Amino acid sequence: MTPGKDDFWFLPLGGCGEIGMNLNVYGHNGRWLIVDCGVTFQAEVDEFGESINSQNPPIQMADPQFLIDRRQQLDGLIITHAHEDHIGAVPYLWEYFRCPVYTTAFTAEMLRRKLVERGLADKVPVIVVEADAKRQIGVFHVEWLKLTHSIPEPYALLISTAAGKVFHTADWKLDKGPVVGPAYDAGTFQKLAEYQVDAMVCDSTNANVQGWSESESNLYKGLKFHVEQAKGRVVVACFGSNIARLHTLARIADETGRHLGLLGRSLINTVSAAKNVGLWNSVKTSVDSAHLGFLPAHTVLLVATGSQGEPRTALHRLSLNSFRDMQLSPGDTVIFSSKVIPGNELAIATLIERLKVMQVDVIDIDNSALPIHASGHPASEELKTMYQWVQPQCAIPVHGELMHMKANAKIAKASGVRQQLLGQNGDLFYIAPVNGIRRGAVKTGRWGLVDRKELKKL
């Protein structure tokens, strides 16, 4: 199966029909371009919320065989941002691909650390692109377009070929106050309407959430209020990759006279990477965790990994009194600056119960009157706005379960997008040619969708 000079194909191998494990492939004129290469973690819990496989929670990656068979036809791999579900599989799968990797500075620094652990740092050609870069990668012309998300340097891509154009959003939101990095520029995306984009491959995670996602800058007031009300230690559980949230908490620590402590390997690693690329310059150095047990409780503000109840994380160990450097005490406060990811409900509920038995006050988005968490994904009004700006001919929802992708498609249709295509991992989407597809494959309207069962016939 090889695309011709008039073909422009999209093949999601991971991340379509699920949240996580993103691996997207575009094909044109005998060549292929990969966008993102991520993992997902499948920790199993028993009826008590305890991990069944806590020592080795399985890491799942998309099946790369399609790309392995076409390794000589790969023009490159682009990583849109540094979240695990977009970058985490690169150290494991790159040796099968052996193509150049393109990404921006912060993501490149995060990737470098992963490659060092696998002994690949000197083998993988990582090409760092600047903001708003334009690159010719084989037969694909790629433009990096700044957006906002819950991690530094998230980028959408405009991928152009002689046969057509795709706007690939990756993960995004429209945040006017992202705290770290620039806000989005509406003009950038409004201008895409002039380019007559053939298809918009779009994040669906929050498509069934009404309104707009909360701005990262709106969390300062709520988080500071709860820290000021706390009598003992405060532990804030959040995703370790959210440098903007860490900036806000560091500011609050300074203003409330508390020492900032970072608990969790991934959290410390992300902050270190941010320092190396100049994203942590204005924040004072945090206290080494070995010293935290000697500080008065009311002078401590900790940020910890483990908001999803994951085993072996800092908060999990604190809830079991098994953290090496300190223990929680009655009257301490734990703030969950996060939402529950589907599938983690039991693990989180069990974690919270353990904290309550320890007489620790627990605050989450359900019992806080003020916002303390902001999603990194677009809600319905943001999706509507982007579709109206870009005006693509076709919408291809990805990055979500079926209910999310259906909601995304419904918004696209209401926003004037003429065609919406729903598929799943392994389905081949025809973006071009417009007037028919080759060798009798299944056709759906102007844009074709080839079912996985049909791939063997091509």
Side-chain angles (χ1 to χ4, degrees), residues 111-357:
L111 177 58
R112 183 188 67 80
R113 292 159 184 258
K114 293 178 178 296
L115 296 174
V116 167
E117 293 178 356
R118 298 279 297 179
L120 293 172
D122 297 326
K123 297 180 180 180
V124 180
V126 179
I127 300 168
V128 178
V129 299
E130 301 298 326
D132 303 316
K134 298 180 181 181
R135 290 261 182 167
Q136 189 69 36
I137 304 176
V139 300
F140 305 90
H141 184 266
V142 182
E143 298 183 36
W144 277 257
L145 308 175
K146 288 194 295 285
L147 268 171
T148 49
H149 185 40
S150 54
I151 196 169
E153 298 183 1
Y155 280 83
L157 305 171
L158 178 64
I159 304 172
S160 302
T161 70
K165 300 181 179 69
V166 163
F167 175 48
H168 184 102
T169 71
D171 293 1
W172 64 283
K173 65 188 288 190
L174 295 179
D175 193 341
K176 295 180 180 179
V179 179
V180 172
Y184 66 91
D185 177 10
T188 297
F189 305 101
Q190 291 167 337
K191 189 176 181 179
L192 293 183
E194 302 173 11
Y195 296 167
Q196 296 182 329
V197 171
D198 294 285
M200 177 168 154
V201 177
C202 184
D203 178 3
S204 307
T205 310
N206 280 349
N208 53 0
V209 176
Q210 297 301 307
W212 289 69
S213 56
E214 194 75 55
S215 172
E216 192 68 35
S217 61
N218 290 346
L219 307 185
Y220 165 78
K221 184 177 179 181
L223 290 169
K224 186 177 181 183
F225 171 80
H226 291 300
V227 172
E228 288 178 329
Q229 297 300 306
K231 304 303 181 183
R233 297 178 189 84
V234 177
V235 180
V236 180
C238 65
F239 298 110
S241 59
N242 195 326
I243 295 296
R245 194 79 45 89
L246 298 179
H247 270 273
T248 297
L249 292 168
R251 174 186 172 190
I252 292 170
D254 185 56
E255 293 175 351
T256 57
R258 289 178 179 261
H259 301 285
L260 180 69
L262 304 178
L263 307 181
R265 179 174 175 268
S266 64
L267 184 63
I268 294 169
N269 183 60
T270 304
V271 170
S272 174
K275 287 180 180 178
N276 282 0
V277 297
L279 294 175
W280 195 253
N281 293 340
S282 63
V283 181
K284 295 180 180 179
T285 303
S286 59
V287 177
D288 189 291
S289 65
H291 302 156
L292 293 172
F294 301 98
L295 296 172
H298 68 279
T299 69
V300 174
L301 172 57
L302 308 174
V303 187
T305 57
S307 65
Q308 300 304 304
E310 309 98 308
R312 297 190 295 173
T313 57
L315 185 58
H316 182 85
R317 285 179 285 151
L318 283 171
S319 74
L320 296 172
N321 272 335
S322 62
F323 191 74
R324 179 184 61 188
D325 296 323
M326 56 161 285
Q327 293 184 348
L328 295 178
S329 303
D332 289 345
T333 299
V334 172
I335 302 172
F336 283 83
S337 183
S338 57
K339 71 173 185 178
V340 177
I341 295 176
N344 295 333
E345 293 88 350
L346 182 57
I348 295 173
T350 306
L351 169 65
I352 290 175
E353 283 304 309
R354 285 199 300 267
L355 293 171
K356 289 182 176 179
V357 168

Side-chain angles (χ1 to χ4, degrees), residues 424 426-428 441-442 449-456 458:
Q424 57 184 321
D427 288 341
L428 180 62
V442 178
L449 171 63
V450 180
D451 189 88
R452 287 170 294 176
K453 296 177 182 178
E454 297 293 324
L455 291 180
K456 295 180 181 179
L458 296 178

